[in-house]
Amino acid sequence: MPASTPSPQTATAETGAPVAKLGLRARGKLEKRRRIKQSAREVFLEKGYDAATTREIAERAEVAIGTLFVYAKDKRDLLMMIINDDLDRVNAELSEELGHARDDAPLIDQLTNFFGRRYRYWAGEPRLARPAVQATFDFLSTSTSQGPETARFYARRSQIVELLLSIIVSKQKAGKIGAQNSADDIAALFMTIYLTEVRRWLNDDNPQADIGIARLRKLMALALCGVAPAPGEADI
C-alpha cells in the first residue's frame, strides 16, 4: 500500500510532533523521507528486494544518492524504514488491547492473538515481509554499522518481549500456569516458536494468515501441554 503525503495534523514518526508545527526545513526533510520510503517500497515490490538497488530508489525519489544515505545507511535500512512505522502501530494496538483485556481468556487464545496480529501484517505484502523477517534473525548482531532504521527495528525487540512477558506473568500470578519456570524462559520459548514458524510460513508461494496462525497455535498448544515424557526422558 503506497505511502501518502502526511496531513497537517499527522504526527511524524521521528519527533511525534504534528507536521504543521515543524519548521520549513524539518518539513522538507520529512517530505524527502516520505519520497524515499515510497520509492523504496515501489522498487522492492517491482524488482524484488535482492535485485533492487539504492541508486534506482534514489532516482525514483528524485534525490541524490548521497541524500538517500542520510536517511538510510543501506538497502536493509530502507526496508526497515518501510515497515518500522507499521510495526510501531501494531505494537501500540497490542499494548492498548492488553491494558483493557480480561485476564480470564485462555493463554493459548491470548498468545494466538498476540502473534496473529503480526501474521496478518506480514501476510499483507510477503515480498517485503520475507526479507524483513529474515532480518529479525540477525538481531543479536553487535555490529556498530547499523543504520538508524535498522537500529530502530532491532530496538523494538525489547518492546515485543515486554508485551509477551506481561501476558505470561499475569497468568502465573493468577495460578493459571506453573511458576516453576521463569516468565523470561517461557516467553523465550514462544518467541522461538514464532520466529521459526513465521519464517517457514512465509516461504509458501502465497502465505495465508489463517493457515499460518492455525499452525502456530497448534505448536504453541503442544508447548503448553508437553509431550508427556516417560520418567527419565526429560531429566535436566
Side-chain angles (χ1 to χ4, degrees), residues 15-16 19 21 51 53 57 65-67 74 79 90 95 103 110 121 128 136 141 165 176 178 190 194-195 212 227:
T15 67
V19 175
K21 293 186 178 180
T53 66
I57 292 169
I65 188 70
T67 299
D74 50 29
L79 175 64
V90 170
S95 182
D103 292 336
Q110 292 188 34
Y121 171 71
L128 296 179
T136 68
S141 171
L165 276 172
K176 299 295 185 179
F190 288 116
Y194 161 72
L195 287 172
V227 294

Side-chain angles (χ1 to χ4, degrees), residues 22-32 71:
L22 297 177
L24 184 61
R25 182 179 179 185
R27 277 183 282 172
K29 292 177 65 177
L30 186 63
E31 170 58 17
K32 284 181 183 177
Y71 293 84

Side-chain angles (χ1 to χ4, degrees), residues 199-219:
R199 189 182 184 194
R200 183 208 61 77
W201 164 72
L202 277 171
N203 281 330
D204 292 347
D205 291 337
N206 183 26
Q208 299 296 307
D210 289 343
I211 294 174
I213 292 169
R215 166 73 176 172
L216 178 68
R217 182 185 176 96
K218 181 178 180 179
L219 294 179

